[in-house]
Amino acid sequence: MNQSQTKLIESVKLALNVVWTHRLRSILVMLGVAMAVTTLMGMVSILSGLSNRITQEITGGETVILQISKFDLAGGNQREQSARKDFTTEDARALGQLPHVTGVDIFYQQGQPLRHRNRKARLMTVMGSSTLFPSFNKIAVDQGRFFSPFEVDHRRSVAVLGAQPARDLFPGEDPIGQHLRISNQEYQIVGVFAENESIFARMFGSLAQNFVVVPHTAYRRDFKGRREPMFLRLIIDRQDNLDQVRDDARALLRARRKVMPGLKDDFSMTTADAMLELVERITGPIGLVLVVMASIGLMVGGIGVMVIMLVSVTERTHEIGLRKALGATRREIMLQFLVEAAVLTCLGGIIGILGGLGLAYAITQLGDLPFSLPIFWVLAAVVVSVGIGIVFGLYPANRAASLDPVEALRFEV
């Protein structure tokens, strides 16, 4: 161990001794830093857990999906996009013939009221889909069955209820085989979905359970509005073939929709990667706001460190003069006070990290949300806490190092 390391260790020991000697004052300083770090770590842990869960649910399944819509995921001119040509069932059949495409789902949705006798459910999301709906949405049928290809082809008025409307409309009853009215159309219930356990269901509660699915052929007959778009969802056999299918589907649709060369597509294609980019665009600014808020708290804590260190310099002026008289250099005096400031904020940062992670864990357990331990942010919080101490300790340390030893020895508190 060289001389510099020895002096640093001695400075840390002396700093800890000063912290212990002035416990109340030190605790107040550390609390200022700890509260800011607690806020940062708690919110970052929760946000990181949510982001990880969403990523798993988007990409975790084995089914490779390509969604096609006339609307762009990134937004844009909604009026112009609404005027685009809608997709047709012939488009769906043509896409189903492409290599590596194992299935094509036609999908519609809109809000409609549901009724059963004198009971009325809140406004529900009515979805028109194919027999591939459970595969695309990773949700199982808990009671009864899903509708069959025959029922889709023959536009049968059958429906599969979400868990929430089944409870609302049939409390204590078996809904299978009974009838309900969707808007003014009567449908027979053939199945009920299981509870939706996805993160979206946990975030939005009953909203994620309030839906009913009917054959897209029956939906188009009974509910399709003049401007309501058809969505197409393709199942691809392997992830490796996604790019090829996307290119083939783009070329096919451009030809069928008569998009001239040089003009941009009048439709959009969305993959799991695009959805992840959207999630990052949402969570990124939120994380930035949290960092800024925590930085303000750290600045306040840093100002507290500066004030306390200036008080410490004043109280220990005689000690500083004595150390200088015994041969302590300006550098050694400055290092001592910088280390003391860094130790104060580092201890505050550690307390804040433990408090933030504990708070995040408690919230995630109470709210049945995912918990994540963001190692990067833990390390960053420690480094930033130490950095705050060094930055705001520079002025007091420099002031201590600049004291004249003769005048310092004469000073009395």
Side-chain angles (χ1 to χ4, degrees), residues 47 51 277-291:
L47 188 64
S51 180
E277 289 177 7
L278 179 61
V279 171
E280 290 176 1
R281 286 205 298 268
I282 294 172
T283 58
I286 296 175
L288 180 61
V289 170
L290 292 175
V291 170

Side-chain angles (χ1 to χ4, degrees), residues 6-82:
T6 302
K7 288 183 178 180
L8 181 60
I9 293 173
E10 290 177 354
S11 297
V12 172
K13 290 180 179 178
L14 182 57
L16 291 172
N17 183 61
V18 171
V19 170
W20 179 252
T21 303
H22 303 281
R23 291 185 290 276
L24 179 60
R25 187 170 69 189
S26 300
I27 289 172
L28 293 175
V29 174
M30 289 187 289
L31 279 178
V33 177
M35 290 177 67
V37 176
T38 295
T39 302
L40 176 65
M41 292 305 303
M43 297 306 295
V44 165
S45 296
I46 294 172
L47 188 64
S48 177
L50 285 173
S51 180
N52 290 341
R53 178 65 66 81
I54 292 171
T55 299
Q56 290 174 3
E57 293 194 358
I58 292 175
T59 63
E62 297 179 357
T63 306
V64 183
I65 298 172
L66 177 65
Q67 179 166 303
I68 305 174
S69 168
K70 71 177 185 179
F71 291 99
D72 296 334
L73 180 66
N77 190 327
Q78 292 296 307
R79 179 175 296 181
E80 181 271 329
Q81 293 176 23
S82 296

Side-chain angles (χ1 to χ4, degrees), residues 316-334 337 397-409:
R316 297 162 61 189
T317 299
H318 189 80
E319 174 195 328
I320 295 168
L322 183 61
R323 291 189 62 189
K324 282 196 167 187
L326 293 174
T329 65
R330 172 187 172 88
R331 180 180 178 183
E332 290 172 342
I333 298 295
M334 194 166 184
F337 280 88
N398 184 63
R399 182 172 176 177
S402 301
L403 290 175
D404 181 81
V406 176
E407 294 297 326
L409 286 171

